[in-house]
Amino acid sequence: MSPAAGRRMSPEIALLLAEDGIANGAIYVLVGLGIVLVFVVTRVIFVPFGDILAYAALTLGALERQRLPGTVWLVLTLAILASGMEIASLWRNKRLRELPRSLALFGALPLLPAAAVALAAGRDLPAAPAIALTLALVLPIGPLLYRIAFRPLADAPVLVLLMVAVALHFAVSGLALFYFGPEGVRTQPLLHATFRLGALILPGQTLIILVACALVCLMLFLIFTRTMGGKALRATAVNRLGARLCGISPSRAGAAAFLLASGLAGISGVIIAPVATLYYDSGFIIGLKAFIGAIIGGLVSYPMAALGAIFVGLLESYAAFWSSAFKEVIVFSALIPILVWRSLAFGHHAPEEDDLAEDIAA
Amino acid sequence: MTTRRLLPVMLALASMLALPQVLGGYALTLLDYIAVSSLVALGLVVMTGAGGITSFGQAAFVGIGAYASGWWTTSMAGSPFTGLAIGLVLSGATATLLGAATLRLGGHFLPLSTIAWGIAIDYLFGNLEALGSHNGLAAIPPIDIAGISLISERAFSYLAWPILCLAMLLCANLLRSREGRAIRALRGGNALAESLGIDPFATRLRTFVLAALLASLAGWLYAHLQRVVSPTAFDLEAGIEFLLMALLGGAGHVAGAVLGAAVVTLLKDALQSLLPLLTTNSIQLEAVALGALFILILQRARFGLIPLILRFFPRRQPHAIAEASPLPRRSRMRDGSSLLTVEAVSKRFGGLVAVNGISFELRANEILGLLGPNGAGKSTLFDLVSGLASPSGGQIRFLGEDIGRLSTRQLARRGMARSFQHVRLRPGMTLTDNVALGAHGRSRAGFVRGALRLDRAEERSIRFEAARQLARVGLGEKLHARAGSLPLGEQRLLEVARALAADPALILLDEPAAGLRRKEKEALAALIRALRQEGVTVMLVEHDMDFVMNLVDRIIVMDFGVKIAEGKPAEVSTDARVREAYLGVELADEEPLGRDAVETDASGVEAA
C-alpha cells in the first residue's frame, strides 16, 4: 500500500480531510443511532437500514427528475404482504374482530404517503415538499419489514435475527435495483452558499448535515427522556420481560423502534444525497460503516456509538487520502483490532451463550 | 461397518460414478458446481451447525483458495497442485489470525466481524493489481492428473465428487469423535466447556480453520472449473449463499451440505431461466427470491430440510455399547486425607466483602454441605473453589496445589468436576454423548485421529465408561434418549453421571435439589449416599435443609460472608447462631416456593 504519490499531507489538507471526515461521520452517527435503537429494543441488527437510506435518496432523486419513485411499489408490496400475514395470523388465532384495525394499520396507513407521492410525481416540486413526501414514503418501510420478517421470530436468538436481517437486505436491495435500475442519483444541494470560518471553508451542505445530525440527536434525547413512548422504548431495551409486565407491548415497541429507525434512515438519505452519488446498493456499505461505529460503542450506548461513528468517518477520510484503492479495506479491517480491544478491555469472557444455545440448528 | 451404514455409501458411490455418464452438458456443469458449493457448506455444517459459530465470510476463504491457485498457474505458470498447497497455507494462516482475533467475541459480535473481514478481503482481491484488480484472472489452466486433463465437466466431476465424499466422511467421523462432541458442546456456553476440561477457544479456532480449509479447497476446484476468477464471485452475497445452503439442508447434518447446495444451485438456475420470461430485469429478482427463501426457512423450518426428511424414516437403532477396556483412573485418595484446604479466603467486589476470611478443610471420602441464607456468600465461595473467580486474599489448595489463579478448565483437568444450579446439558445430544463429554479430560484423540477413525479403541472405552456411569446413577435404561427429553430430576442425575465420568477426586454440586420434586430429591439423596459408599468426595451448596441434614457428614454455615458454624448436622442445627441467622425463619419449610412466602410474610410482620 503506497501513499498516494505526489500528495503530501499539509495542515490545510489535514483540516480539509477532518472536515470531510466529520461530515461523513455525522451521517454515520444518524445511521448508527438508528441501528443501536433497533438493536436494544428488538435485538435485531438492522442490516437493511442502509437500504432504506438508499431508497430515500433514490426517491428524492426520482421526484426531482419528475418520475414516479419505485419506492411506491415497494411500500405497496410490503403493505400487501403484511396485511396478508395479519389476516392469516388473526384467522389462525380466531381474533378476526381485530382485523379492521390491523388492516388500517398495515394496509391503509402505509398507502397514504404512497398515494400522495403517486399523485405528486411528475410535477415540478419545490425542495421542501419533495423532501417531506420522501420522508413520509420511507417511514412505513421499517415497521412493515418488522411485521413481515422479524415479528414472527420475536423470541428467536440474536443470531437467527441477524441472519434474517442480512437476507432481508438482499431482498430489499435487489428490489431497489429492480425499481430504480443501476444508475446513481445525486440530488440538488439544499444550500448553495459556502461559509468561511477562519481558514476553513464550510460548504452549505456540510453545515446542513451537521445541523441535522445535532437536531436529530436532540430530538431523540427529548423523545427518550421526556415522552411516555420514548420511556417505554427505553424500558423495553433494559428489560423486555419487565417492560412487558408493565403493560408495554413488545411488538408495539418493536414497531415504534423500526418507525424511528425508518425516519432516521430517511433523513440520512435526504441529507447525504446532494453530497454523494448514491446507487441502489450504496446504503449497505454506509450502514456497515455505521455499524463499525456502533460496535465501537458496544451497540448499547448512544453517545459512544456517535463517537465511534465520527471516528469511522475520520478514518475513512484519511484512508482515502493515503490510499484511495484500499480505503474500504482499511475501514473494514479496522473493526478487527477494535473488536479485539473491546473484548480485552471489557471482560475476557464471551457472554454466556445460553440464550443463543439452540439457535440455528440442532 | 454394518450393511445399514454400507448401503447409503454404496448408493452414493454408484450414483457418483453413474450420474456423470448419464447427465450431459449443462446438467453436468450444475453437478460440478454443486460439489464445489457443498464443500464450503460442509465446513459451515461443522462450524455453524455443530459448533454454533456463524460466519458470513466463508466466500473470502473460497476466494483465497481460488486466487492463490489462479495466480500461481497463470502469472507464475506453476502447477495447480502447488497452487492448492499455497491456497491452503494462506487460508489456514488467515483463518488462524482472524480466529485468534475474533473467536473470543461473544454473541452477535463474531458474525458481524465475519461480515467486516469478508468484505475487506474481497475488496483486497479487487484492488491488487497482481490479481487483476476488478477484472480478476482469466485463462486459468484446467487440472491435469497423470497426463489426463480434467478440462471437460465430466472428467472434472470425477475429481470433485470423490473429494467431496471423502471430506464428508472425514467430517462425519470427526463429529462423532471426542473432539466432535467438544465442538457440539460449544453451544452450551464457555462455562460448560471449561468445566469439562475443554478449551472452548482452542476448539473454536480449530473448527474455524477446518472450515476455512474446506472453503479454500472448494476455491481451488472453482478456479480450475470456471477457469476465470473475479472478485464478485467471493463477495458477501456469496458468503451468505453458502450459509443459506448449510441452513437449508439442516446445519446439524453432514448430508445437509449437499442437499442444501443442490437445492440452492438448482433453484438459482431455475430462477435464472424462469424470471426472464416474467420480467426484463430478472437478475435483480434472483437476490430477492433467495433472500425471501432464506427468511422463510428461518421462520418456518429453522432446522433445515434433513430433519423434515428424517421424520419419514425410523430412527436408526443405536449400537449396543460393548464392554471395553476401562479408561485410565486416578489413584485413589486415602480416606480422611486432606483434599481441599481453604485458608482465610476473602473475596471483595469493590467495597462489598462477599466472602470474609473463611477457612475449612475437606477430606477424602466425605460429604460436606455449605449452607446459608440468600446472600450469605455461598455462591461466591463456590465460584472461588471451582475456579470461576480468584480470591482477593487467602489461599485455596486442592490436592496440595495452590489453585487461586487456576481456571475452571485447569481444575477440571486436575480432578474437580461439577454440576450446575441451572442444568447445563446438550439437550440435542444423547445421554451417552452427554456423559462421554465428562470423560473428555481422560482421553486424548484429536481432530485428525477422530476424522480418520483411529480413535476407535479409546472411543469404545469412553462409551463403555459413559454407559457404566449412567447405570450407576440409574439412567442405564435410557442410554440413547436425548438429554432434553428427561424431566429435571433425571437431568440432575445426568449431570452427576457426567461429573463421575471425569473420574474426579472431588465433585462440586451447586444447589442440586433446587427445583426438584420430593421424589426426585429422594432419588438424588440416595444416589449421593451410594456414591459416598463408593469413595467419592462431594461438596455441595444447598438451601434445602431437609435434603442436607440427612445426607452430609459435615456442614459449614455461612452468613454475611463469614463462617458462623461448622460441624455434624445435629450439632449445627442446635447452634444458636445458626438458628438465629438461618433456621429461625425457615426451619419448617421444605419447598423453596413456600419458604419464599414465609420470608415475605416474616418481613411483612417485622415491617408492621
Side-chain angles (χ1 to χ4, degrees), chain B residues 336-373:
Chain B
S337 63
S338 175
L339 193 65
L340 181 79
T341 332
V342 175
E343 279 166 31
V345 160
S346 303
K347 180 67 181 178
R348 275 179 287 277
F349 297 104
L352 178 81
V353 187
V355 173
N356 192 358
I358 294 244
S359 303
F360 66 89
E361 194 181 33
L362 176 60
R363 293 180 284 272
N365 195 10
E366 178 184 42
I367 300 187
L368 178 72
L370 190 57
L371 273 164

mmCIF file of all heavy atoms in Angstrom, chain B residues 336-373:
data_model
loop_
_atom_site.group_PDB
_atom_site.id
_atom_site.type_symbol
_atom_site.label_atom_id
_atom_site.label_comp_id
_atom_site.label_asym_id
_atom_site.label_seq_id
_atom_site.Cartn_x
_atom_site.Cartn_y
_atom_site.Cartn_z
ATOM 1 N N GLY B 336 -9.896 -39.799 54.495
ATOM 2 C CA GLY B 336 -9.563 -38.863 55.562
ATOM 3 C C GLY B 336 -8.370 -37.990 55.258
ATOM 4 O O GLY B 336 -8.084 -37.061 56.009
ATOM 5 N N SER B 337 -7.641 -38.254 54.170
ATOM 6 C CA SER B 337 -6.522 -37.362 53.836
ATOM 7 C C SER B 337 -7.088 -36.060 53.268
ATOM 8 O O SER B 337 -8.183 -36.031 52.734
ATOM 9 C CB SER B 337 -5.581 -38.024 52.822
ATOM 10 O OG SER B 337 -6.290 -38.259 51.633
ATOM 11 N N SER B 338 -6.310 -34.992 53.402
ATOM 12 C CA SER B 338 -6.841 -33.673 53.052
ATOM 13 C C SER B 338 -6.910 -33.492 51.542
ATOM 14 O O SER B 338 -5.933 -33.720 50.832
ATOM 15 C CB SER B 338 -5.948 -32.601 53.670
ATOM 16 O OG SER B 338 -6.393 -31.353 53.229
ATOM 17 N N LEU B 339 -8.065 -33.079 51.051
ATOM 18 C CA LEU B 339 -8.274 -32.945 49.608
ATOM 19 C C LEU B 339 -8.285 -31.468 49.222
ATOM 20 O O LEU B 339 -7.638 -31.044 48.272
ATOM 21 C CB LEU B 339 -9.622 -33.592 49.262
ATOM 22 C CG LEU B 339 -9.917 -33.843 47.809
ATOM 23 C CD1 LEU B 339 -8.954 -34.857 47.243
ATOM 24 C CD2 LEU B 339 -11.341 -34.365 47.663
ATOM 25 N N LEU B 340 -9.048 -30.721 49.988
ATOM 26 C CA LEU B 340 -9.217 -29.298 49.684
ATOM 27 C C LEU B 340 -9.028 -28.515 50.975
ATOM 28 O O LEU B 340 -9.661 -28.828 51.990
ATOM 29 C CB LEU B 340 -10.624 -29.057 49.129
ATOM 30 C CG LEU B 340 -10.971 -27.631 48.729
ATOM 31 C CD1 LEU B 340 -10.376 -27.298 47.379
ATOM 32 C CD2 LEU B 340 -12.478 -27.455 48.684
ATOM 33 N N THR B 341 -8.123 -27.531 50.944
ATOM 34 C CA THR B 341 -7.919 -26.697 52.127
ATOM 35 C C THR B 341 -8.201 -25.264 51.755
ATOM 36 O O THR B 341 -7.611 -24.731 50.809
ATOM 37 C CB THR B 341 -6.455 -26.779 52.611
ATOM 38 O OG1 THR B 341 -5.926 -28.041 52.225
ATOM 39 C CG2 THR B 341 -6.364 -26.596 54.093
ATOM 40 N N VAL B 342 -9.102 -24.648 52.486
ATOM 41 C CA VAL B 342 -9.422 -23.242 52.262
ATOM 42 C C VAL B 342 -8.916 -22.484 53.473
ATOM 43 O O VAL B 342 -9.315 -22.771 54.594
ATOM 44 C CB VAL B 342 -10.938 -23.053 52.076
ATOM 45 C CG1 VAL B 342 -11.284 -21.581 51.963
ATOM 46 C CG2 VAL B 342 -11.409 -23.815 50.853
ATOM 47 N N GLU B 343 -7.982 -21.538 53.237
ATOM 48 C CA GLU B 343 -7.354 -20.832 54.362
ATOM 49 C C GLU B 343 -7.599 -19.332 54.270
ATOM 50 O O GLU B 343 -7.103 -18.679 53.368
ATOM 51 C CB GLU B 343 -5.828 -21.081 54.351
ATOM 52 C CG GLU B 343 -5.415 -22.394 54.952
ATOM 53 C CD GLU B 343 -3.964 -22.720 54.611
ATOM 54 O OE1 GLU B 343 -3.174 -21.766 54.460
ATOM 55 O OE2 GLU B 343 -3.653 -23.910 54.462
ATOM 56 N N ALA B 344 -8.397 -18.840 55.197
ATOM 57 C CA ALA B 344 -8.625 -17.394 55.348
ATOM 58 C C ALA B 344 -8.920 -16.718 54.011
ATOM 59 O O ALA B 344 -8.366 -15.678 53.676
ATOM 60 C CB ALA B 344 -7.417 -16.730 56.008
ATOM 61 N N VAL B 345 -9.815 -17.324 53.243
ATOM 62 C CA VAL B 345 -10.083 -16.808 51.904
ATOM 63 C C VAL B 345 -11.104 -15.673 51.943
ATOM 64 O O VAL B 345 -12.099 -15.759 52.663
ATOM 65 C CB VAL B 345 -10.576 -17.958 50.998
ATOM 66 C CG1 VAL B 345 -11.315 -17.397 49.795
ATOM 67 C CG2 VAL B 345 -9.401 -18.790 50.538
ATOM 68 N N SER B 346 -10.793 -14.610 51.195
ATOM 69 C CA SER B 346 -11.719 -13.478 51.100
ATOM 70 C C SER B 346 -11.963 -13.144 49.639
ATOM 71 O O SER B 346 -11.119 -13.411 48.794
ATOM 72 C CB SER B 346 -11.138 -12.235 51.781
ATOM 73 O OG SER B 346 -10.827 -12.514 53.119
ATOM 74 N N LYS B 347 -13.122 -12.572 49.377
ATOM 75 C CA LYS B 347 -13.400 -12.050 48.043
ATOM 76 C C LYS B 347 -14.137 -10.727 48.192
ATOM 77 O O LYS B 347 -15.176 -10.663 48.837
ATOM 78 C CB LYS B 347 -14.248 -13.036 47.242
ATOM 79 C CG LYS B 347 -14.580 -12.554 45.842
ATOM 80 C CD LYS B 347 -13.353 -12.478 44.967
ATOM 81 C CE LYS B 347 -13.691 -11.978 43.575
ATOM 82 N NZ LYS B 347 -12.490 -11.850 42.730
ATOM 83 N N ARG B 348 -13.531 -9.693 47.627
ATOM 84 C CA ARG B 348 -14.155 -8.376 47.670
ATOM 85 C C ARG B 348 -14.604 -7.989 46.276
ATOM 86 O O ARG B 348 -13.909 -8.228 45.301
ATOM 87 C CB ARG B 348 -13.151 -7.343 48.185
ATOM 88 C CG ARG B 348 -13.067 -7.241 49.692
ATOM 89 C CD ARG B 348 -12.042 -6.207 50.102
ATOM 90 N NE ARG B 348 -10.681 -6.682 49.887
ATOM 91 C CZ ARG B 348 -10.018 -7.469 50.757
ATOM 92 N NH1 ARG B 348 -10.594 -7.858 51.873
ATOM 93 N NH2 ARG B 348 -8.799 -7.863 50.501
ATOM 94 N N PHE B 349 -15.806 -7.406 46.191
ATOM 95 C CA PHE B 349 -16.248 -6.766 44.948
ATOM 96 C C PHE B 349 -16.362 -5.286 45.258
ATOM 97 O O PHE B 349 -17.342 -4.862 45.872
ATOM 98 C CB PHE B 349 -17.601 -7.300 44.501
ATOM 99 C CG PHE B 349 -17.592 -8.769 44.168
ATOM 100 C CD1 PHE B 349 -18.135 -9.695 45.036
ATOM 101 C CD2 PHE B 349 -17.037 -9.217 42.984
ATOM 102 C CE1 PHE B 349 -18.126 -11.032 44.724
ATOM 103 C CE2 PHE B 349 -17.030 -10.555 42.669
ATOM 104 C CZ PHE B 349 -17.566 -11.477 43.542
ATOM 105 N N GLY B 350 -15.371 -4.504 44.904
ATOM 106 C CA GLY B 350 -15.374 -3.098 45.293
ATOM 107 C C GLY B 350 -15.415 -3.017 46.808
ATOM 108 O O GLY B 350 -14.577 -3.578 47.492
ATOM 109 N N GLY B 351 -16.415 -2.342 47.342
ATOM 110 C CA GLY B 351 -16.498 -2.197 48.789
ATOM 111 C C GLY B 351 -17.173 -3.382 49.476
ATOM 112 O O GLY B 351 -17.124 -3.505 50.699
ATOM 113 N N LEU B 352 -17.792 -4.244 48.677
ATOM 114 C CA LEU B 352 -18.554 -5.338 49.274
ATOM 115 C C LEU B 352 -17.647 -6.542 49.547
ATOM 116 O O LEU B 352 -16.933 -6.988 48.662
ATOM 117 C CB LEU B 352 -19.669 -5.754 48.317
ATOM 118 C CG LEU B 352 -20.520 -6.929 48.781
ATOM 119 C CD1 LEU B 352 -21.562 -6.464 49.760
ATOM 120 C CD2 LEU B 352 -21.154 -7.627 47.597
ATOM 121 N N VAL B 353 -17.678 -7.019 50.777
ATOM 122 C CA VAL B 353 -16.906 -8.216 51.086
ATOM 123 C C VAL B 353 -17.870 -9.399 51.056
ATOM 124 O O VAL B 353 -18.673 -9.595 51.960
ATOM 125 C CB VAL B 353 -16.238 -8.106 52.466
ATOM 126 C CG1 VAL B 353 -15.314 -9.279 52.701
ATOM 127 C CG2 VAL B 353 -15.463 -6.806 52.554
ATOM 128 N N ALA B 354 -17.804 -10.171 49.979
ATOM 129 C CA ALA B 354 -18.766 -11.260 49.814
ATOM 130 C C ALA B 354 -18.346 -12.470 50.624
ATOM 131 O O ALA B 354 -19.183 -13.189 51.179
ATOM 132 C CB ALA B 354 -18.890 -11.629 48.338
ATOM 133 N N VAL B 355 -17.045 -12.723 50.678
ATOM 134 C CA VAL B 355 -16.523 -13.831 51.477
ATOM 135 C C VAL B 355 -15.415 -13.233 52.337
ATOM 136 O O VAL B 355 -14.534 -12.546 51.833
ATOM 137 C CB VAL B 355 -15.966 -14.953 50.579
ATOM 138 C CG1 VAL B 355 -15.272 -16.013 51.425
ATOM 139 C CG2 VAL B 355 -17.067 -15.566 49.745
ATOM 140 N N ASN B 356 -15.483 -13.490 53.640
ATOM 141 C CA ASN B 356 -14.604 -12.774 54.560
ATOM 142 C C ASN B 356 -13.845 -13.759 55.450
ATOM 143 O O ASN B 356 -14.372 -14.252 56.440
ATOM 144 C CB ASN B 356 -15.443 -11.809 55.402
ATOM 145 C CG ASN B 356 -14.563 -10.836 56.164
ATOM 146 O OD1 ASN B 356 -13.336 -10.912 56.089
ATOM 147 N ND2 ASN B 356 -15.186 -9.945 56.897
ATOM 148 N N GLY B 357 -12.626 -14.094 55.067
ATOM 149 C CA GLY B 357 -11.745 -14.886 55.911
ATOM 150 C C GLY B 357 -12.278 -16.271 56.266
ATOM 151 O O GLY B 357 -12.265 -16.667 57.431
ATOM 152 N N ILE B 358 -12.752 -16.982 55.272
ATOM 153 C CA ILE B 358 -13.297 -18.324 55.533
ATOM 154 C C ILE B 358 -12.186 -19.366 55.479
ATOM 155 O O ILE B 358 -11.321 -19.313 54.599
ATOM 156 C CB ILE B 358 -14.370 -18.680 54.486
ATOM 157 C CG1 ILE B 358 -15.575 -17.760 54.659
ATOM 158 C CG2 ILE B 358 -14.734 -20.137 54.540
ATOM 159 C CD1 ILE B 358 -16.835 -18.430 55.044
ATOM 160 N N SER B 359 -12.192 -20.306 56.436
ATOM 161 C CA SER B 359 -11.260 -21.428 56.401
ATOM 162 C C SER B 359 -12.031 -22.717 56.654
ATOM 163 O O SER B 359 -12.931 -22.751 57.476
ATOM 164 C CB SER B 359 -10.200 -21.287 57.507
ATOM 165 O OG SER B 359 -9.518 -20.070 57.370
ATOM 166 N N PHE B 360 -11.701 -23.724 55.915
ATOM 167 C CA PHE B 360 -12.201 -25.063 56.239
ATOM 168 C C PHE B 360 -11.384 -26.086 55.483
ATOM 169 O O PHE B 360 -10.564 -25.740 54.616
ATOM 170 C CB PHE B 360 -13.698 -25.211 55.938
ATOM 171 C CG PHE B 360 -14.061 -25.122 54.476
ATOM 172 C CD1 PHE B 360 -14.072 -26.261 53.680
ATOM 173 C CD2 PHE B 360 -14.418 -23.899 53.903
ATOM 174 C CE1 PHE B 360 -14.417 -26.179 52.339
ATOM 175 C CE2 PHE B 360 -14.761 -23.819 52.556
ATOM 176 C CZ PHE B 360 -14.766 -24.954 51.789
ATOM 177 N N GLU B 361 -11.595 -27.332 55.825
ATOM 178 C CA GLU B 361 -10.865 -28.396 55.169
ATOM 179 C C GLU B 361 -11.850 -29.454 54.705
ATOM 180 O O GLU B 361 -12.850 -29.723 55.377
ATOM 181 C CB GLU B 361 -9.861 -29.006 56.153
ATOM 182 C CG GLU B 361 -8.836 -29.879 55.466
ATOM 183 C CD GLU B 361 -7.864 -30.488 56.452
ATOM 184 O OE1 GLU B 361 -8.293 -30.778 57.595
ATOM 185 O OE2 GLU B 361 -6.702 -30.695 56.091
ATOM 186 N N LEU B 362 -11.565 -30.016 53.552
ATOM 187 C CA LEU B 362 -12.417 -31.096 53.044
ATOM 188 C C LEU B 362 -11.533 -32.320 52.889
ATOM 189 O O LEU B 362 -10.478 -32.262 52.259
ATOM 190 C CB LEU B 362 -13.021 -30.684 51.702
ATOM 191 C CG LEU B 362 -13.876 -31.705 50.957
ATOM 192 C CD1 LEU B 362 -15.073 -32.120 51.793
ATOM 193 C CD2 LEU B 362 -14.350 -31.112 49.636
ATOM 194 N N ARG B 363 -11.970 -33.431 53.525
ATOM 195 C CA ARG B 363 -11.137 -34.626 53.486
ATOM 196 C C ARG B 363 -11.711 -35.641 52.493
ATOM 197 O O ARG B 363 -12.897 -35.602 52.164
ATOM 198 C CB ARG B 363 -11.040 -35.224 54.885
ATOM 199 C CG ARG B 363 -10.262 -34.312 55.831
ATOM 200 C CD ARG B 363 -10.143 -34.886 57.221
ATOM 201 N NE ARG B 363 -11.369 -34.759 57.977
ATOM 202 C CZ ARG B 363 -11.682 -33.691 58.725
ATOM 203 N NH1 ARG B 363 -10.847 -32.661 58.807
ATOM 204 N NH2 ARG B 363 -12.808 -33.640 59.386
ATOM 205 N N ALA B 364 -10.866 -36.526 52.035
ATOM 206 C CA ALA B 364 -11.292 -37.514 51.042
ATOM 207 C C ALA B 364 -12.404 -38.381 51.620
ATOM 208 O O ALA B 364 -12.420 -38.703 52.810
ATOM 209 C CB ALA B 364 -10.115 -38.382 50.625
ATOM 210 N N ASN B 365 -13.332 -38.774 50.744
ATOM 211 C CA ASN B 365 -14.461 -39.625 51.109
ATOM 212 C C ASN B 365 -15.324 -38.992 52.184
ATOM 213 O O ASN B 365 -15.646 -39.602 53.189
ATOM 214 C CB ASN B 365 -13.977 -41.013 51.529
ATOM 215 C CG ASN B 365 -15.131 -42.004 51.542
ATOM 216 O OD1 ASN B 365 -16.220 -41.697 51.063
ATOM 217 N ND2 ASN B 365 -14.896 -43.178 52.083
ATOM 218 N N GLU B 366 -15.684 -37.774 51.957
ATOM 219 C CA GLU B 366 -16.525 -37.045 52.891
ATOM 220 C C GLU B 366 -17.552 -36.268 52.079
ATOM 221 O O GLU B 366 -17.280 -35.882 50.947
ATOM 222 C CB GLU B 366 -15.645 -36.085 53.695
ATOM 223 C CG GLU B 366 -16.400 -35.228 54.674
ATOM 224 C CD GLU B 366 -15.497 -34.228 55.384
ATOM 225 O OE1 GLU B 366 -14.620 -33.628 54.719
ATOM 226 O OE2 GLU B 366 -15.678 -34.048 56.585
ATOM 227 N N ILE B 367 -18.709 -36.042 52.680
ATOM 228 C CA ILE B 367 -19.677 -35.167 52.022
ATOM 229 C C ILE B 367 -19.837 -33.928 52.873
ATOM 230 O O ILE B 367 -20.203 -34.005 54.044
ATOM 231 C CB ILE B 367 -21.037 -35.864 51.817
ATOM 232 C CG1 ILE B 367 -20.849 -37.099 50.937
ATOM 233 C CG2 ILE B 367 -22.020 -34.903 51.168
ATOM 234 C CD1 ILE B 367 -22.143 -37.748 50.536
ATOM 235 N N LEU B 368 -19.520 -32.789 52.277
ATOM 236 C CA LEU B 368 -19.549 -31.531 53.009
ATOM 237 C C LEU B 368 -20.654 -30.667 52.432
ATOM 238 O O LEU B 368 -20.759 -30.502 51.217
ATOM 239 C CB LEU B 368 -18.202 -30.817 52.854
ATOM 240 C CG LEU B 368 -18.081 -29.459 53.529
ATOM 241 C CD1 LEU B 368 -18.012 -29.618 55.033
ATOM 242 C CD2 LEU B 368 -16.863 -28.710 53.022
ATOM 243 N N GLY B 369 -21.484 -30.116 53.322
ATOM 244 C CA GLY B 369 -22.549 -29.224 52.866
ATOM 245 C C GLY B 369 -22.215 -27.791 53.213
ATOM 246 O O GLY B 369 -21.699 -27.504 54.291
ATOM 247 N N LEU B 370 -22.476 -26.900 52.272
ATOM 248 C CA LEU B 370 -22.254 -25.476 52.509
ATOM 249 C C LEU B 370 -23.629 -24.827 52.537
ATOM 250 O O LEU B 370 -24.355 -24.864 51.552
ATOM 251 C CB LEU B 370 -21.408 -24.912 51.362
ATOM 252 C CG LEU B 370 -20.848 -23.516 51.510
ATOM 253 C CD1 LEU B 370 -19.994 -23.406 52.757
ATOM 254 C CD2 LEU B 370 -20.019 -23.183 50.280
ATOM 255 N N LEU B 371 -23.979 -24.269 53.682
ATOM 256 C CA LEU B 371 -25.333 -23.749 53.860
ATOM 257 C C LEU B 371 -25.283 -22.270 54.190
ATOM 258 O O LEU B 371 -24.253 -21.748 54.597
ATOM 259 C CB LEU B 371 -26.002 -24.463 55.036
ATOM 260 C CG LEU B 371 -26.712 -25.774 54.752
ATOM 261 C CD1 LEU B 371 -26.945 -26.496 56.043
ATOM 262 C CD2 LEU B 371 -28.009 -25.535 54.027
ATOM 263 N N GLY B 372 -26.425 -21.635 54.063
ATOM 264 C CA GLY B 372 -26.506 -20.232 54.436
ATOM 265 C C GLY B 372 -27.697 -19.605 53.772
ATOM 266 O O GLY B 372 -28.122 -20.061 52.712
ATOM 267 N N PRO B 373 -28.238 -18.539 54.367
ATOM 268 C CA PRO B 373 -29.375 -17.869 53.736
ATOM 269 C C PRO B 373 -28.938 -17.161 52.461
ATOM 270 O O PRO B 373 -27.752 -17.045 52.182
ATOM 271 C CB PRO B 373 -29.840 -16.868 54.803
ATOM 272 C CG PRO B 373 -28.673 -16.680 55.702
ATOM 273 C CD PRO B 373 -27.859 -17.927 55.636
#
